């Protein structure tokens, strides 16, 4: 049995000694052939005094079914091109993280990212080239963030990074590392052409005026708009509610 399922198994067994004296559970088991999913249905037999004296259980292998379900769930959560969280899954995870940050008064920042001149890349080199750029960009972002950070593709060439336990200065440091990584990267197309690309970034911080995910996105998008319209390939930050400044 998988270690994480042991407490579930104990709770399953305990439930058989109280009404309705039957239960069903799916447990994982590590075998020589890999991870298997077993579904157990059990019914407790009671004597005339109502005491349980025996348990009848039936188990069946549901690995194929669970594998399909897990795949469908993963497909519902992930952007198929980049493997990042899609917009809906990003929002779900971000909402939960913001709730935690507000409850415990912890810092949290959001980076809103947009690839520069992406339409020109598609128009000039084709959508396959654009897809390669998106995949490379996603890989670069994942390489510079922590495991606890949440990264999602929120639109065509739009991405977002939620940074728990991160104030605005530390968030700007992440953006700076991203710009530096992009300066060192390139995508080589099948034709042999090498493409370099950049992105613009808007940063926002969870504070007294930005208290929801919508607030954060609104502030980060304002900062991103300024970055896009004052030269691109740069980061701007929303500070003190509505003010926006260029990042150093």
């Amino acid at each position: 049995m998988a270690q994480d399922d042991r407490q579930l198994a104990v709770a399953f067994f305990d439930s058989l000694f109280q009404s309705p004296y039957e239960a069903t559970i799916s447990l994982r088991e590590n075998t020589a052939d890999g991870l298997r999913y077993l579904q157990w249905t059990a019914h407790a037999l009671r004597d005339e005094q109502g005491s349980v004296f025996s348990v009848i259980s039936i188990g069946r292998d549901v690995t194929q079914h669970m594998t399909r379900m897990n795949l469908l769930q993963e497909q519902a959560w992930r952007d198929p091109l980049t493997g990042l969280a899609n917009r809906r899954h990003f929002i779900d995870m971000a909402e939960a993280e913001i709730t935690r940050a507000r409850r415990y008064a912890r810092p949290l920042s959001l980076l809103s990212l947009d690839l520069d001149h992406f339409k020109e890349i598609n128009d000039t080199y084709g959508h396959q080239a654009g897809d390669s750029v998106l995949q490379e960009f996603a890989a670069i972002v994942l390489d510079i963030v922590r495991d606890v950070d949440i990264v999602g593709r929120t639109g065509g060439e739009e991405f977002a990074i939620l940074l728990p336990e991160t104030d605005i200065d530390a968030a700007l440091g992440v953006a700076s590392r991203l710009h530096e990584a992009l300066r060192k990267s390139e995508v080589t197309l099948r034709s042999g052409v090498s493409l370099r690309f950049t992105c613009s970034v808007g940063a926002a911080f969870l504070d007294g005026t930005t208290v929801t995910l919508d607030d954060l996105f609104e502030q980060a998008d304002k900062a991103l708009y300024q970055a896009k319209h004052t030269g691109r390939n740069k980061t701007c930050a929303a500070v003190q509610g509505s003010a926006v400044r260029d990042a150093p």
Side-chain angles (χ1 to χ4, degrees), residues 96-107 165 206:
E97 193 58 45
I98 286 176
T99 298
R100 186 199 67 82
R102 291 179 60 193
R103 178 179 300 157
Y104 299 106
R106 303 304 302 167
E165 301 292 336
L206 189 70

Side-chain angles (χ1 to χ4, degrees), residues 132-187:
S132 296
V133 168
L134 291 170
Q135 290 171 329
E136 178 66 13
F137 181 71
I140 291 171
V141 171
L142 289 177
D143 193 49
I144 67 168
V145 299
R146 306 164 299 177
D147 290 342
V148 297
D149 299 330
I150 301 171
V151 183
R153 184 184 178 194
T154 54
E157 67 270 29
E158 300 166 357
F159 298 79
I161 308 173
L162 194 80
L163 301 163
E165 301 292 336
T166 305
D167 62 23
I168 191 65
D169 290 329
L172 294 179
V174 174
S176 178
R177 292 197 297 275
L178 175 59
H179 289 304
E180 181 62 25
L182 290 177
R183 279 193 285 271
K184 298 176 181 178
S185 70
E186 63 181 22
V187 172

Side-chain angles (χ1 to χ4, degrees), residues 183-221:
R183 279 193 285 271
K184 298 176 181 178
S185 70
E186 63 181 22
V187 172
T188 302
L189 306 181
R190 291 182 179 179
S191 62
V193 173
S194 294
L195 291 180
R196 292 185 178 274
F197 56 94
T198 61
C199 77
S200 298
V201 182
F205 176 64
L206 189 70
D207 59 19
T209 57
T210 53
V211 296
T212 68
L213 183 59
D214 286 342
D215 292 335
L216 272 178
F217 264 119
E218 181 180 354
Q219 295 302 316
D221 286 345

Side-chain angles (χ1 to χ4, degrees), residues 32-62:
D33 296 325
L35 187 67
R36 311 294 297 179
Y37 291 87
L38 302 177
Q39 185 181 78
W40 292 94
T41 299
H43 180 79
L45 301 179
R46 294 177 293 156
D47 58 25
E48 294 179 353
Q49 287 73 42
S51 299
V52 175
F53 67 88
S54 184
V55 172
I56 298 175
S57 63
I58 299 175
R60 64 190 183 102
D61 190 322
V62 293

Side-chain angles (χ1 to χ4, degrees), residues 218-244:
E218 181 180 354
Q219 295 302 316
D221 286 345
K222 284 181 181 178
L224 176 61
Y225 180 87
Q226 177 162 314
K228 297 289 285 187
H229 288 80
T230 56
R232 293 186 172 88
N233 190 25
K234 62 189 294 188
T235 297
C236 290
V239 293
Q240 297 178 348
S242 60
V244 176

